[in-house]
Each structure stands twice: as C-alpha cells, then as structure tokens.
Amino acid sequence: MRKILSAILAASMLMAAAPSALAASFEIEPLVTPTYERVGNFSDGRAAVKQNGKWGYIDETGKMVVKPKYDWAGPYSEGVTVVAQLQSETYQEGTEYEYTMERYELYLLDENDAEVRLYADQYDENDAPLDYSVDEFTAPIEQAGFSWFCQDGVVFVDGHPFTKAGKEIKAKITDEYVQTCTMTGPCVGGVIPMYADSIKEGAGQAFFMDASGNITRRFPIYRESNITCVYAPEQDRIVAQKGAYDDEWNWVGGWGAMDLNGNWVVQPVYDGFRYLMSGRFFCDGLWTVYNTQGRYGAVDKNGKVVIPLQYEFMSSFTEGMCAAKKNGKMCYLDLSGKTYQPGALGGGEAKADAASQFNGGVAPVYVGADGQAYCVQNVPKNGVLPAISGTQNLAREVYFPDYVEGSNEYGTLSAVGNIIAIKENGKWGFSKLTFHLDLPDESAMDKWAYDEVCKAIEAGLVPNTLQNQYRSNITRADFALLLTEVASAITEKDIETLVKSTTGKELDELVAAHPFTDTRSEAVVAANALGILNGYGNGKFGPYDTISRQDAATMLLRAATAIKADALEGWGDKIAAANVQFADGAAFSGYAKQAIEVMAALDVMKGTGNNRFAPKETYTRQQSFMTVYRLMTQILDEAA
C-alpha cells in the first residue's frame, strides 16, 4: 500500500491535472464453495447453513462450527444466537377430531456454543419453556426471528429479554399486579424498552429497565397518557405510540417521538414507520414514516416533514439515500427529496421493480422486464445512479431472496456486504465482494474541493460508505471511520492489528466491553483505543454529533501521532518556520491550540479568510477528505 500511496503522492506533486475517471468495477473472490441447500448472511463471523434439511453454522473459512441439527437458525450477534427445534403433537388421535399442533422449542447457543433451553415467565409467576407456535395467528418464525438477536449484552427473543447465558431478565416491579411484561424493541445503550399489562386497575404501563431488571424510567399509566409502546432512546428521541380504543372499539392513535423530557416533538400521527433493526430511527437525520393511507415520507427529529408523504414505499435512509416507490416503479431519494433513477446495465435509466438500500456505496435493484438483478452505485450522474457491469451475473435470489415475482412483496431487503451469499447450480455458498466506485461528478461538491477529494478517494483513504453528501457536516462517527481508514492505509496494517499493537487487546474484545453506551461502531472503538477520539464522559460518545474545526485539527494531530509517534519531532522545523498566528487565536480552546498551529503550519488545514481560523465552525465531509489527503502527503513526505 505504501508504494501505491507514494506513487500517487509523486504524481500529484509533478502535475496538477484533473483526476482520472475511474470506471466502476467489482472483484469477486470465492470463499465457501456452493454446496448448501440454503444459507443465511454472515454476522459476527458466522453464517447459518442448511444441509440435509437441518441448519448449522460455518465460520468465514467454511469450517462447520455448529453441526446441522436445527429446524431454524437465527443470526449470530455478540457471540450468541437463537435456534429452534420443530415439534409436532397429535391430539384426539384416531378420532374424527384428530388434529396436529406444531411449535418450535427455542434455545440459545451461548458463547461456548452450549445449547441452553430458554425459559420465560409467560402468563403467571412460574417460568415455562419458551416455545413459538405455528398457527394462523403467528408470523412464520423466519419472519419473526429476524429481530431475535443480542445487542448490548441483552438477547431479544419473542418479546422476552435474556442474558447471554440464557437467563430471562425480569423487571423488578413491586406492589403491583403484573400479568405479563413484554420487551418492545432492542436494547440500546443498556436501556431495555418494556410494557407491562395490568399494572393498575387493568391499565398497562411502558417503562425502561436495565440489564439487571431495575426500572430506570416509568411512563404514565396507559389510562392517563395512552402511551402503549416505547423504544429505547436514539439520538435524544424516544419513539412511542399513543392511542386508545374509542366507544366502538376502533383504535385511534399513531406513532411519534418524544424528547428525553417526555414532550412530543414528532406528533403521534403516523400509522407506522421503518427503522434499522439495531434501534436506529433517524437515519441520516430523517425518519421514514407512513400515514393511514399507506403513503410514505420522512420527518426530521423536530417533526418537520422533509419529504412529503406521497410514496407507495420507502426504506430507511442509508448513506444519504433511500429506496422509494412511486407510480409502481422504484427510484432513490436523497435527503432533500431529490429523485434519482437506477441506471440500466446498458446505460440510461432502468424501470426497477424492486430496490434495496445502500451499503458500502452500492445497492441492489431488480428489473423484472429483463429478469435481471444487479447493483447500482451511489455516485449520481445526471440524475441516474449508474449500474455496475458484471454484478448481474449473480442470481437474483442473492440480492432479493424473498422477493415474490410481479408483486409488492419484497421480503427482507438485502444490503450488499463484503461477504455475500452466492447461488450456483441450485446450491448456496459465499464469496467476498470488493467494489470500486466511479469518481464523483464535480457538481457533487464545491469546485475548490474536487481535485483533492478525488485524490483522497484514489489513494484509498475514503471508504465507499462516505463517498456521498460531500457538502454536509461530517459526524464524529464518520470522522472516526475516516481516520482509522487513513491509519490503516498509511501503515499498511489492518485496524485490528493496529489496535492490538497499541493496546495489547483484540478489537472485538474492546467492542464487547461497551466503552460507549450510544455506539458499538468498531471504527469509533478503534479510534478511541488509538487515542484519536475521546468520548464526552459517562459512557457517551455522541456518534451523530458534528465536529468543529478545532476538534478536526485536534483529531488530525492525534491521528498523525498514532500513525507515526515522532511525527511532531520530524515536523519541528516546518512548524517553527511557519510561526502561525491567527487573528482569532484568543477563541481557540486550550486543548486545540497546538493542533491548530501544527495543522496550519503544515498546510493541512487553512484559515477561512482574513487570517481567521474560525475554530468553532462545523467541518464538512469534503473538507475532511481534503485534509486527510494533505496529512497523508506530509507523513509520506517525511518518511521518504
């Protein structure tokens, strides 16, 4: 990598030509030979595979780590997973009233792969084996089990919270008759959202509890407030449902969001919403909602309708885009509501029948008229998101495993990841995919930023997930990702190796320790471990907060010293010769003063005009990409 970066640096110093136009492409590397009847997605280093009618698990080398013996297998997360065995019982056998009932016995595979039968307090005070019924009143386990996973050490299974050892976490409610308690959403930041029936005179109550069962917050009794469901706080908002039955037993109510003080900031008028399973609602700052007419739109954290509710379908936003459907055809919307069409393989626009959200700069679409599924890239060209040639060679089921041809039933919308399921000759396996995107159009950012942003992309410093929204303010989490990518690229070491050499601990170990309650991002944890970014204290990191210019300078200097411990010493002469003096230097925070002077002396960060640095102004993505490129050139120039 260093030779590549050095060559790019040399070329940039010799000529100031415009960046070359890279063609979008992808590489596919076989990982697990297609031999299975069906497979799930890789998560936590493992994937469920079906062999001889039963499910087990393999690791990323293809080794079978849990032998196939289950009738259903969920995704791994935080070292554990939920599995099920189907049982059938026949009643009144031999009579005209004979009937058969089926149920799934639910188990947890703990961190040692030991099988633990799950028991829960269901309708009385006595624990009973937890089963999932198979009948006309319940969703298929494949659909319901999609949300059964572990987050922040709490496993969500069919409305019950469990520890990673398989023990139910019971709410410590005293002096009140409780018929049932139900977990209403995933644990986020150690907060478990719950609802208790019959807490007072037949009325229920929503509440939060911690992983020990302690009640940390009670919401008003249902009959006093009509709050029937809450989710754990996300970005200082509590998504909740408010409503009641009228005199004719018709439900009247809707979904909205409260601030942390319980005030409605997004009024509870929406019939439903979309969200990411990890418990994120305001993705890229917008929450996808729909009304009683089934029309979708998006609102911000303060309830302002940013995208009118006029679409037949919308996904959650990722990477500045969401998939949407209007007049029977799929398109994409950016954060302002501007429409982009998926590109056709041969160029121009495609009339897609299904489309999924973006992940890593790419998203799958399906064009029924051609019978082809393929990927488009998040690099708009004249209102079109270009197709990536070659991606159509993967089976449609790879991208849309549950799609029902000719219908609106998309099933689970798949995001294309680094490892993807592959189907060949009716059998399933896995491959690794690496995507290379087109360079952005100049219109995507300010002209003064274009050349250096493109050079940063060409140098491999900007991950695909960040190659969008160039003029928007960068968040703390995204800056962490950017700086860890830079550190990895320059040192030619993956981030896991860098963390291990710095801390003596594995990155997975540090993530599992939950250093922050509001994010589990590996990039954030890695940047914190390397001393690049700190939290606010009390377990808070603020992943979606923006950063100031002085914070950017501070983090850039920390990144430089993390990459090269003696960087400051090597730059001593340059710094002294520059003798940086800004007119607004009195406004610099003490912690940032040295970093601002160093970054300015090296021309990594410059002033905003009139000899001012503007330390507290926000920092954009395009500025971030430019400055990491400049930082890279300084580090490589010193090492040359």
Side-chain angles (χ1 to χ4, degrees), residues 82 147-150 154-162 183-187:
V82 180
S147 62
W148 299 351
F149 58 88
C150 182
V154 177
V155 189
F156 176 34
V157 186
D158 198 24
H160 298 271
F162 291 89
M183 186 176 177
T184 53
C187 175

Side-chain angles (χ1 to χ4, degrees), residues 279-362:
R280 284 198 61 194
F281 299 88
F282 293 91
C283 306
D284 289 337
L286 295 183
W287 184 26
T288 298
V289 294
Y290 58 86
N291 58 24
T292 54
Q293 289 76 45
R295 295 293 172 174
Y296 286 77
V299 299
D300 66 14
K301 290 173 58 176
N302 296 314
K304 178 184 176 182
V305 176
V306 178
I307 298 178
L309 279 70
Q310 60 184 10
Y311 294 90
E312 296 148 31
F313 167 81
M314 282 176 58
S315 69
S316 292
F317 277 88
T318 57
E319 301 177 17
M321 290 279 189
C322 80
K325 185 176 185 180
K326 191 172 185 180
N327 299 326
K329 292 298 178 182
M330 301 298 299
C331 64
Y332 284 90
L333 306 175
D334 67 14
L335 297 172
S336 70
K338 183 178 178 180
T339 301
Y340 299 85
Q341 299 301 323
L345 287 165
E349 299 179 5
K351 294 183 178 180
D353 297 283
S356 187
Q357 58 202 37
F358 277 95
N359 183 48
V362 300

Side-chain angles (χ1 to χ4, degrees), residues 606-622:
K606 301 177 181 180
T608 58
N610 298 321
N611 194 35
R612 300 181 67 82
F613 186 80
K616 296 181 181 178
E617 286 188 6
T618 53
Y619 212 53
T620 64
R621 286 191 174 197
Q622 59 186 1

